[in-house]
Amino acid sequence: MSYTLEGKTGTWEIVVGLEVHAQVISHSKLFSGASASYGGEPNTHVSLVDAGFPGMLPVLNHECVAQAIRTGLGLRARINLESRFDRKNYFYADLPTGYQISQFTHPIVGEGTVEIELGDGTVRHIGITRLHMEQDAGKSMHDQDPTRSFIDLNRAGVALMEIVSEPDIRSPEEAGAYLRKLRQILRYLGTCDGNMEEGSMRADVNVSVRKAGEPFRTRCEIKNVNSIRYVMHAIEVEATRQIEVWEDGGEVDQETRLFDPSRNETRSLRSKEDAHDYRYFPDPDLLPLVVEQAWVDELERGLPELPDDKRDRFIKQYGIPRYDASVLVAEQAIADYYEEVAKGRDARLAANWVTGDLFGALNRTGRGIQDSPISAQALGGMLDLMADKTINGKIAKEVFEDMLETGDSAADIVERKGLKQVTDTGAIDAAVADVLARNADKVEEYRGGKDRLFGFFVGQVMKAMAGKANPAIVNEALKKVL
Ligand code: ADP
Ligand code: MG
């Protein structure tokens, strides 16, 4: 089912394209040796290049280029062996040079594609138009003093990757899925930490609406949205606004807008500037960037297994459902944890315990897999006790809760609490005889054809043995007598 909005004049479709700014993980900035790390006292990570001193020359950071290429490869995109840096000229207090170095006509990465999966299982492919490298600006601080603003240049010159999508996104849900997938890929690659709260990933959201089958209409660009939830909200309120404008006989103007989450509305910021307003021109301080295919190949060989590939491998290798596999590859650390538990064990059972009981416990306590109170080895140890029939599935739940609380190993808990499964047929036979003697009426009914009562007898015997009886042996014993 495709997502649509109803207006007075009929059904509208949403068209969205996203421009994502992703801060590159690197020690130093794109064109200077100053630290690129987040935070720090204001203006302590600033070189003369970043501060725009006269006579300073930019020197391209090799590692930032490698990161951009890795990202391009992870997005299954074309790597452009020749790209260029341009100056994008504008004045802003936190931009001391008066221009931002960016890639305009010749980006380092061309067309690619990102696969997304929606809640109902639909798979869609969102086109990537390009990825280019550019510098971040500094930060103006207006909340430090009642009458003055301050400038912090720590961020000035830090490398960004701008990842531009095709206008292929058709709903808030797709936008959310696209951003989550993009962030997952960047994190797997180690090229951006994807931390939207710290601003290391932020999105400009281009939205337009149209009636089905129409060509695209004018879009508005909502700047700098810094959470996935806000992106989804912004799309919905902006689309609703545009539909009203069109239906009231007006025209949507191409403009830059701002999303205000507290009022759940978008507001006009400025009418859209055009590329020529920035007077882009090739930066005369920087030669065209030429990379060799051999280096690209080397970077490709060094890439980790990407989330989609890992998911497909999990489905095949471990025989688990696609949904479980998707959940397990959400983070590299989760995938690693799962594989350690599954190795040499019942992989489906392992998936059930990790995605069910373990995730439930982590969610309850607000922890990530890195802080799991139960290590992969410890959970594996518990599965081993199930496999060798020391404990059954019911007792395992109790052992698991105890492991969460105490951090003890499953074996220690079984020992301490005396939970070892009873496989002694003598004891089980005695319990069976006792239960049948106490329920003579039900035995008669069962023999008269009421098969459903078998489960009742199993339950009673298990209860009599405090849950510790081996269920298979109980079944056997009951069948024999009945
Ligand atoms: P500009 O260079 O002016 O920002 P682009 O053509 O590069 O314009 O597009 C920027 C973003 O806007 C891209 O992500 C693209 O997918 C998106 N976009 C383009 N046209 C539309 C449209 N009609 N509706 C929604 N998004 C659009
Ligand atoms: Mg743009």
Side-chain angles (χ1 to χ4, degrees):
M1 254 299 282
S2 59
Y3 177 95
T4 51
L5 290 174
E6 289 306 317
K8 289 186 298 217
T9 61
T11 302
W12 295 83
E13 182 181 65
I14 293 181
V15 176
V16 173
L18 295 175
E19 295 165 272
V20 171
H21 289 92
Q23 190 179 314
V24 174
I25 295 177
S26 68
H27 291 300
S28 48
K29 297 183 179 181
L30 185 53
F31 297 111
S32 88
S35 167
S37 65
Y38 179 77
E41 284 292 298
N43 298 309
T44 52
H45 301 166
V46 188
S47 77
L48 298 175
V49 175
D50 310 319
F53 273 52
M56 292 298 120
L57 288 174
V59 178
L60 182 59
N61 181 337
H62 189 263
E63 178 57 16
C64 292
V65 178
Q67 292 288 57
I69 293 173
R70 287 186 190 106
T71 307
L73 293 168
L75 299 174
R76 319 245 187 251
R78 183 164 49 82
I79 306 302
N80 293 325
L81 296 182
E82 183 171 338
S83 62
R84 285 181 205 187
F85 289 101
D86 304 284
R87 288 188 183 179
K88 179 180 182 180
N89 299 282
Y90 61 98
F91 171 80
Y92 208 79
D94 59 21
L95 187 74
T97 49
Y99 57 84
Q100 177 192 26
I101 303 178
S102 180
Q103 296 190 303
F104 181 54
T105 49
H106 293 76
I108 186 157
V109 176
E111 298 84 1
T113 171
V114 168
E115 181 188 299
I116 60 169
E117 198 173 337
L118 305 178
D120 64 1
T122 313
V123 171
R124 290 209 58 221
H125 292 90
I126 307 299
I128 298 291
T129 315
R130 59 187 277 164
L131 174 156
H132 64 255
M133 287 183 280
E134 63 183 31
Q135 299 174 295
D136 207 344
K139 207 163 65 183
S140 301
M141 302 192 288
H142 306 297
D143 55 358
Q144 310 285 309
D145 186 279
T147 56
R148 294 177 300 173
S149 284
F150 293 98
I151 303 291
D152 175 10
L153 292 179
N154 281 354
R155 210 177 59 188
V158 165
L160 297 178
M161 298 178 284
E162 178 168 336
I163 303 166
V164 182
S165 87
E166 291 289 303
D168 288 344
I169 295 165
R170 291 289 174 273
S171 69
E173 188 197 358
E174 288 184 15
Y178 170 79
L179 287 171
R180 275 196 303 278
K181 188 55 165 290
L182 193 60
R183 185 172 61 181
Q184 183 188 29
I185 293 170
L186 296 172
R187 284 178 171 165
Y188 264 68
L189 292 167
T191 58
C192 170
D193 66 25
N195 194 333
M196 294 187 86
E197 298 85 69
E198 289 178 359
S200 47
M201 189 173 135
R202 40 193 201 266
D204 297 342
V205 186
N206 297 273
V207 181
S208 67
V209 295
R210 66 171 176 183
K211 295 277 180 69
E214 272 186 352
F216 290 154
R217 298 195 184 198
T218 310
R219 71 191 148 97
C220 288
E221 179 173 357
I222 308 160
K223 273 286 176 199
N224 262 325
V225 188
N226 63 2
S227 89
I228 292 177
R229 206 160 45 90
Y230 287 169
V231 168
M232 295 170 70
H233 283 171
I235 290 170
E236 191 159 357
V237 298
E238 175 59 15
T240 306
R241 182 191 74 83
Q242 289 182 14
I243 290 170
E244 274 173 30
V245 172
W246 290 120
E247 292 195 329
D248 290 347
E251 287 262 330
V252 168
D253 293 325
Q254 186 174 339
E255 59 184 1
T256 303
R257 300 179 70 87
L258 193 83
F259 177 60
D260 181 347
S262 62
R263 298 167 63 171
N264 212 26
E265 63 177 28
T266 66
R267 282 198 298 277
S268 181
L269 205 59
R270 56 175 184 260
S271 65
K272 172 74 182 178
E273 66 281 342
D274 272 311
H276 59 252
D277 297 335
Y278 289 116
R279 312 209 45 117
Y280 279 97
F281 63 86
D283 192 307
D285 290 338
L286 291 158
L287 291 168
L289 171 59
V290 178
V291 299
E292 286 179 7
Q293 185 61 43
W295 187 41
V296 175
D297 294 342
E298 186 190 320
L299 290 170
E300 185 156 29
R301 281 192 298 275
L303 291 187
E305 182 181 30
L306 289 163
D308 291 349
D309 296 333
K310 202 185 271 294
R311 179 201 58 212
D312 293 345
R313 177 171 64 80
F314 278 17
I315 295 170
K316 249 176 82 185
Q317 181 175 344
Y318 298 118
I320 58 177
R322 186 185 168 98
Y323 178 80
D324 288 11
S326 295
V327 170
L328 288 168
V329 303
E331 291 172 33
Q332 181 102 48
I334 294 174
D336 292 347
Y337 184 104
Y338 168 68
E339 290 209 90
E340 199 178 330
V341 179
K343 202 160 92 198
R345 302 195 174 93
D346 180 340
R348 284 162 175 261
L349 189 65
N352 288 343
W353 277 93
V354 173
T355 59
D357 298 77
L358 182 73
F359 280 7
L362 293 177
N363 283 344
R364 274 204 306 280
T365 52
R367 292 194 233 210
I369 194 89
Q370 291 86 348
D371 314 308
S372 170
I374 301 179
S375 69
Q377 260 173 322
L379 184 57
M382 192 195 81
L383 294 183
D384 290 340
L385 294 184
M386 293 175 75
D388 70 12
K389 307 232 176 342
T390 305
I391 56 173
N392 61 36
K394 187 153 171 286
I395 295 293
K397 300 268 177 196
E398 185 184 339
V399 171
F400 183 84
E401 288 304 317
D402 199 319
M403 289 169 79
L404 274 179
E405 254 169 55
T406 62
D408 289 349
S409 76
D412 286 350
I413 293 164
V414 169
E415 184 67 36
R416 162 158 57 76
K417 290 187 152 172
L419 295 174
K420 201 163 159 8
Q421 180 165 246
V422 178
T423 49
D424 168 10
T425 45
I428 292 174
D429 286 343
V432 165
D434 184 51
V435 165
L436 297 190
R438 279 192 284 111
N439 296 284
D441 49 336
K442 295 225 167 53
V443 174
E444 204 154 310
E445 283 177 52
Y446 177 81
R447 287 185 175 139
K450 214 166 165 191
D451 290 350
R452 284 185 294 110
L453 280 170
F454 192 78
F456 164 79
F457 296 126
V458 173
Q460 290 298 304
V461 174
M462 289 303 272
K463 201 169 146 198
M465 303 204 60
K468 292 186 289 185
N470 178 316
I473 299 179
V474 171
N475 273 283
E476 278 295 297
L478 274 167
K479 272 190 202 137
K480 217 165 53 196
V481 183
L482 283 169

